[in-house]
Amino acid sequence: MSDIVFTRKSGWIPNVIREDGELKLRLGAGADANHAPRTFTFSISEAHLAAIRADLARHLLLWSAVLPLCDAAGTRGRLDENAAAALLDPILLAAPADVDALFRRIRWDRSRLIAHGADIGLLEHGQIVAAMRAATETSNEYHADRRRAERGTVLGPLDAAILRYTGQYLHGATVPRRMPDAVDPTLLPQVMRVIATAEQACAGMRIGRDPRRGNRATDKRDWERMQTTVEAAVRRAHPELVDDAVRTVSFLMCSEAANRSRNAPVEEDEETAGHLADFGGSTSKTVLSFTDDKGVEKKWQWDSPRTAAAEFWEFVGDRSAADNEVFTIEDEEMGEGIQLHFYADSIARITTLRAGEGGSDAEYRVEYGLVDGISGYRNLVNIFVRGGYAALEEHGPWMSDVAEFERARRQRNARES
């Protein structure tokens, strides 16, 4: 649990929180593989908090220096907290000349400082602290427009109004939200017509969860499908809009859909997707065993208040990681199971042909199949839970020859690349 200790007017500037009694700096930067914004934290001291409170310029300089570390973390990596912590004293507590010297040695985000009023000429001459004397908490729209102009984009009145409505005028990476009060009342009806076009285009579409990337991750394919649908509809109905305005509308629709999925119970999320429509909340299985590639096991019993599929996918969401991408569901009584290989978009179905007796090894039949994304995995899991090994027969092809399977996998990958 965390509490906000200090924040500034612009919610995009890093704020200070207290988490389990420890002071930390928290900032949003970049996005994960599902386009959802990432949040990073690292520990600071009371002295650092005092400096952040007292000196906006130092606060902004720290933000500028930490952002490249967030970029280096990518979509799934961890922030190098040691490197971030090493910036605290030299930026927040050191003399101006030492701060200037530091910024000659490290990577930093120049555009973020300019957006908050830094003197460009002084920045270019390496006088970093002096350049921040006129810095402001709120970002400068002039610099946002200048960055757009550099890439050949000029906003019309409606484009600008749409970006203000979603809160993305200043920073395109800001989480979009609905802010009608930020729009000129004379333009708001036009903005709402564009939003209505987007809502109609994606009505009935959803962005499901993808437990392979964690319990709150969502399906990248669903996101891209909704994004493509919304952008095509908005461009067709409002051809005068620039790409920035069209993209911010699709980002808003996708973000809202992803949040609905993240905040729904697992059972509701699956039922909405139609995966459990004929499941009836029950299963023909009595006991199932879930395991991961690290040897962790979880049992599901027939009298559990939740479905086997829901408990399995929660297990995946809790345990899945870059080095933990193989998960198994086993019905020990029937001697059959399935093994999901997330790193290869493939699955194996396994049945026992002969149990091991008298010290001899058991004999198994193992057959491999290709899987089309998380929706394909969900479908196969539900089929196995309901009907076991035999029920999967019509959902192949299944290949017992490993070389044949690898050829099929390579051909699939070549077609998709």
Side-chain angles (χ1 to χ4, degrees), residues 209-290:
R209 296 190 192 189
D210 189 346
R212 296 174 299 177
R213 298 183 177 90
N215 273 323
R216 291 182 59 79
T218 51
D219 188 348
K220 183 178 179 181
R221 289 188 181 186
D222 284 351
W223 182 295
E224 292 172 346
R225 189 177 303 115
M226 182 178 289
Q227 179 183 34
T228 299
T229 299
V230 169
E231 291 186 2
V234 170
R235 285 193 173 99
R236 187 165 54 249
H238 308 278
E240 74 280 9
L241 296 178
V242 300
D243 286 346
D244 285 28
V246 174
R247 281 195 295 265
T248 197
V249 173
S250 70
F251 195 5
L252 176 66
M253 296 298 114
C254 292
S255 294
E256 291 180 341
N259 283 334
R260 287 193 293 271
S261 182
R262 290 188 190 101
N263 295 325
V266 173
E267 290 83 357
E268 180 183 336
D269 174 63
E270 292 184 353
E271 287 169 356
T272 303
H275 295 295
L276 299 181
D278 60 345
F279 196 72
S282 63
T283 175
S284 59
K285 304 297 184 184
T286 56
V287 179
L288 293 174
S289 173
F290 310 147

Side-chain angles (χ1 to χ4, degrees), residues 24 64-65 88 95 178 202 236 246 296 315 342 350:
K24 293 185 177 182
S64 171
L88 291 169
R178 298 180 186 236
C202 62
R236 187 165 54 249
V246 174
V296 174
F315 177 70
F342 295 146
I350 307 163

Side-chain angles (χ1 to χ4, degrees), residues 110 119-128:
R110 181 174 180 270
D119 185 299
I120 298 175
L122 292 175
L123 285 181
E124 291 176 346
H125 286 87
Q127 297 173 265
I128 308 300

